[in-house]
Amino acid sequence: MSAYDWLNAYEWLHPTPAEHVGWDVDVLYGSWPRHHIDVGFAEVRARLARSPVAGALALSTRGPLFDDEAGNAETLRDLADCPELLPVGTVDVRDAMTAEARLDELTAAGVRFLRLFTVEQVAEPGFPGYRRVVSLALDRGMVLLHDGDPRRFGPPLAGRGADVIFLDLHAYLLADFLLLAQEEPGFRATTRMLSGPDSIERVVDSVGPRHLVFGSRTPFMDISPQTLRLRYADISDDDRAAIATKNVEELLV
């Protein structure tokens, strides 16, 4: 058997419809010092085009790292002619006095998603600036893409009818997230760090598939482990489709 035959002997190397993802909610482009890479917009689009991911929620890293107003403008400009990408806005929670103007600009542009970078901007759940930004965003009906530990940021967001997607839920924290999600229909998490052998199944069995969405953190993480994990999860095809596509589409209405 040749090397080529051995390569093709593994069926899982070939993407199947079970790996199709309608929306990846965790995509960035631009520089990110911690990762020591600078992947521009064109390269990120090319990576997505080579993957089973059809669409994504994306933003320029200029917003969280340097200037929220300029970053939002760059995101809107770059994504204007990209039907497979939807823009995500951001605000600097360290400068909450300007947050209202930034959020008005985003809502006027039709942006539905606001990404909070509390780790990079060193914001705690009890900080006045964080609380003001969250209140202004929820008043405008925006969906929060939230970094950080959901055990710390989940309780202050509970009881407010908030739609929140936690981007950094680790498998070790899953039980606490499930307790929150049992009482918060708008709380969701991404699949990115649910690396436990049964993490996706636990969410589906405990609180239902509506509490999960697909997120890869492209280009700083490889997409394929995420799509394969979802492909081989022991869940129904309908549940898989909800996580990969339909749950995000419901937030777009």
Side-chain angles (χ1 to χ4, degrees):
M1 181 176 289
S2 70
Y4 179 81
D5 291 333
W6 277 113
L7 181 65
N8 287 276
Y10 296 94
E11 185 178 354
W12 57 269
L13 287 175
H14 301 279
T16 73
E19 283 179 69
H20 173 78
V21 173
W23 294 102
D24 182 342
V25 304
D26 193 356
V27 172
L28 302 159
Y29 65 92
S31 64
W32 196 267
R34 189 168 66 230
H35 294 282
H36 304 294
I37 59 173
D38 184 351
V39 181
F41 181 62
E43 173 58 24
V44 169
R45 287 190 76 189
R47 291 190 187 200
L48 291 171
R50 295 192 297 268
S51 78
V53 175
L57 313 183
L59 87 164
S60 165
T61 59
R62 180 184 297 273
L65 295 180
F66 304 108
D67 184 316
D68 54 0
E69 184 177 17
N72 290 335
E74 183 171 284
T75 298
L76 291 170
R77 182 176 63 251
D78 290 342
L79 273 59
D81 297 321
C82 304
E84 80 278 19
L85 300 177
L86 289 178
V88 175
T90 193
V91 296
D92 191 338
V93 294
R94 296 165 299 189
D95 188 13
M97 298 300 289
T98 65
E100 190 162 12
R102 296 289 86 77
L103 291 170
D104 285 342
E105 293 163 1
L106 291 169
T107 53
V111 177
R112 285 275 293 129
F113 298 88
L114 180 74
R115 184 159 178 160
L116 300 177
F117 292 84
T118 64
V119 174
E120 285 73 21
Q121 297 173 357
V122 196
E124 298 288 339
F127 283 10
Y130 170 82
R131 296 204 310 265
R132 175 163 175 78
V133 168
V134 166
S135 293
L136 291 170
L138 297 184
D139 288 346
R140 288 159 175 77
M142 302 185 82
V143 180
L144 301 181
L145 304 183
H146 207 304
D147 67 353
D149 188 338
R151 297 173 303 179
R152 298 174 61 237
F153 289 97
L157 295 165
R160 307 177 69 171
D163 283 312
V164 186
I165 297 175
F166 291 101
L167 302 171
D168 296 335
L169 175 64
H170 193 281
Y172 294 153
L173 312 181
L174 184 54
D176 285 298
F177 172 75
L178 293 176
L179 290 171
L180 287 167
Q182 284 178 348
E183 298 180 358
E184 293 295 328
F187 280 16
R188 302 166 180 83
T190 73
T191 55
R192 180 174 63 92
M193 298 177 72
L194 296 182
S195 55
D198 61 348
S199 294
I200 292 175
E201 291 86 345
R202 285 183 67 193
V203 176
V204 172
D205 290 343
S206 299
V207 293
R210 74 182 312 275
H211 290 278
L212 276 181
V213 298
F214 183 87
S216 71
R217 195 150 301 178
T218 297
F220 306 126
M221 302 288 288
D222 188 6
I223 293 178
S224 58
Q226 320 300 327
T227 59
L228 287 169
R229 187 176 300 127
L230 187 58
R231 169 181 171 177
Y232 286 106
D234 187 17
I235 58 178
S236 72
D237 289 342
D238 286 344
D239 290 344
R240 187 175 292 102
I243 295 167
T245 304
K246 295 177 182 176
N247 290 342
V248 176
E249 290 182 341
E250 289 180 0
L251 295 172
L252 299 175
V253 176

